[in-house]
Amino acid sequence: MKTFMDKDFLLETDTEKQLYHDHAARLPIIDYHCHLDPRMVADDHKFRNIIELWLGGDHYKWRAMRTNGVDERYITGDASDWEKFEKWAETMPYCYRNPLYHWTHLELRTAFGIEKLLCPDNAREIYEACNEKLAQPDFSARGLMRHYHVECVCTTDDPVDDLRYHTATRESGFEIKMLPAWRPDKAMNIDKNGFADYINRLGEVAGVTITTFADMVDALQRRHDYFAANGCLLSDHGIDEFYDEPYTDSQIETIFAKAMRGMSLSTFEQRQYKHCFLTICAEMDARAGWTQQFHYGPLRDNNTRMFQQVGADTGFDSIGEFATATAMSHFLDSLAAKGMLTRTIIYTLNPCANEMIAAMIGNFQDGTEPGKIQFGAGWWFNDQLDGMTRQIDALSHLGLLSRFVGMLTDSRSFLSYPRHEYFRRLLCHIIGSDVERGLIPVDQPSLARMVEDICYYNARRYFHFYD
């Protein structure tokens, strides 16, 4: 019987252990998609205690606590920080086989040197030990990034953001790159409350009086240029699905005018607008030489009562079912036909689409660069052992795993970097296991290069962060 989470956690054979310890483990981290607060990096934020760092904004943990019968007061409510930590510790022993159990103990071990398993009996001891460490200078936001050997992060930023914290971080001489990533969802979500107010705000920031859809595109282009001037090289879109509804310019202008006047739109009109919007954004990205990312497939804000009580992104989203292969194909094909399909990463929340996407991306590789169109890493509900394995298997069987740009945290937490370790250990297990079973030849230099590329070098080359 193996020891729980020893130095060879997830590694079984000698080949797996060698690939991880001699190659994957030593590489820096490029976290090309996260939700860190740029202000915390600019200010080198000092965390008041482990609750702010660990449970603040972590809807993964919140969902587990609710499922364990914890009252909302101890999750997002007015309970004290110790009371919240105590409730999380009470939940921990019920998390076996949930990735939270592994993540929690990886974070305790790698950040704080704590080897004990969190439970109610030692909750106070661990709480105080973590807080004692967090009081030390090296446990600030920047200190934790250095601790985990982070080389570059890309945050998620709205077009109206002034990027002041990215500028301040860069000018401070901080050695770790923090780059913005363009996320224009609010300008796309014409069906959401507050759309018109947001568009007016966009116009103010861009210096454009927006009365038409063409005006809005002008404003977006100005902000896109501003982001590019401030180091942005990626866009990201959070979408339910891809869209295939035909439209004309005049139809989009009419739809936009109706939305700005607060008039209701049909579902078809909303989809026409989103199709047009995503196409225009993709063309902007292509002209700028950016990489575009599409995170699709969630069913958001399912619990109306709790959405009204605690808001969005608080743990009430789930996996959606969307038949989107045809729309995705037409979207990518229309861009390719115009020579406007830039580097693209597609992430699915529903693993049922894994093979579809792994096959789809092969249709649009054009030989201009390796792995130009990517199947993104297991995301959100899929960044656990089974989800990551299924994504890796689908990509391996239908594409080139060797050209994969690897893992990201997709997290708001400065303690989430062990998710890269989790992925790297699993990757070495999968590859090493195939070697031991005679499915991959014993070619140590090639295996080492493959692992190092997926963990680090592919992303470094693909995103052009250092050109």
Side-chain angles (χ1 to χ4, degrees), residues 31 65 67-68 73 84 102 145-146 173 243 262 265 303 309 347 390 427 452 454:
D31 200 34
M65 293 168 75
T67 303
N68 201 43
R73 176 173 177 265
K84 291 179 179 180
H102 289 158
M145 295 171 77
R146 292 187 182 104
Y243 307 99
L265 300 174
N303 188 322
Q309 179 178 329
Y347 309 81
R390 291 175 67 177
L427 175 71
E452 292 181 358
I454 295 169

Side-chain angles (χ1 to χ4, degrees), residues 22 53 60 99 114-115 159 164 172 217 228 258-259 337 402 464:
D22 294 350
L53 176 59
Y60 289 84
I114 294 173
E115 301 283 343
R164 71 177 69 179
S172 74
V217 172
K258 288 171 66 176
S402 297
H464 301 281

Side-chain angles (χ1 to χ4, degrees), residues 354-355 358 375 385-399 401 430-431 434 437:
N354 282 354
E355 282 73 19
F375 178 16
L385 296 180
D386 180 65
M388 291 189 291
T389 299
R390 291 175 67 177
Q391 186 270 344
I392 288 170
D393 284 346
L395 178 56
S396 300
H397 299 156
L398 300 171
L401 178 63
I430 291 171
I431 294 173
D434 279 357
R437 292 185 294 153

Side-chain angles (χ1 to χ4, degrees), residues 143-345:
L144 287 167
M145 295 171 77
R146 292 187 182 104
H147 175 77
Y148 282 113
H149 202 190
V150 177
E151 187 175 278
C152 179
V153 298
C154 294
T155 56
T156 303
D157 307 282
D158 190 279
V160 304
D161 291 345
D162 61 16
L163 306 182
R164 71 177 69 179
Y165 300 116
H166 296 82
T167 301
T169 299
R170 183 174 63 251
E171 293 178 348
S172 74
F174 185 41
E175 69 276 16
I176 297 171
K177 280 181 176 287
M178 181 175 71
L179 302 177
W182 168 267
R183 180 79 173 241
D185 293 1
K186 290 182 180 178
M188 179 189 68
N189 290 332
I190 198 168
D191 51 324
K192 300 293 186 183
N193 292 331
F195 173 80
D197 290 339
Y198 174 80
I199 296 302
N200 290 329
R201 172 64 177 150
L202 173 65
E204 292 173 4
V205 172
V208 175
T209 300
I210 298 178
T211 58
T212 67
F213 179 74
D215 293 336
M216 189 201 70
V217 172
D218 179 28
L220 281 173
Q221 184 64 68
R222 293 188 187 198
R223 298 306 296 167
H224 199 279
D225 294 342
Y226 177 81
F227 269 56
N230 282 273
C232 184
L233 293 166
L234 295 89
S235 70
D236 183 42
H237 303 271
I239 58 177
D240 297 335
E241 54 183 313
F242 286 83
Y243 307 99
D244 202 21
E245 287 69 19
Y247 60 85
T248 64
D249 291 346
S250 62
Q251 286 174 327
I252 297 301
E253 287 289 3
T254 299
I255 293 167
F256 182 79
K258 288 171 66 176
M260 292 299 289
R261 293 197 299 268
M263 299 171 63
S264 62
L265 300 174
S266 69
T267 299
F268 185 79
E269 287 175 317
Q270 295 170 17
R271 295 175 66 90
Q272 282 181 300
Y273 175 86
K274 291 180 179 181
H275 183 192
C276 176
F277 183 90
L278 290 175
T279 299
I280 287 171
C281 286
E283 293 172 354
M284 286 185 189
D285 292 347
R287 287 191 294 268
W290 289 5
T291 298
Q292 60 183 351
Q293 302 174 91
F294 297 96
H295 286 83
Y296 93 93
L299 198 61
R300 295 185 181 273
D301 305 325
N302 294 273
N303 188 322
T304 302
R305 181 179 66 85
M306 293 305 297
F307 173 74
Q308 293 171 346
Q309 179 178 329
V310 297
D313 301 321
T314 53
F316 299 97
D317 307 316
S318 58
I319 295 171
E321 293 179 331
F322 303 97
T324 196
T326 300
M328 184 188 299
S329 174
H330 289 172
F331 178 71
L332 297 175
D333 186 49
S334 67
L335 294 170
K338 293 181 285 189
M340 300 296 278
L341 181 57
T342 190
R343 291 181 301 277
T344 302
I345 307 177

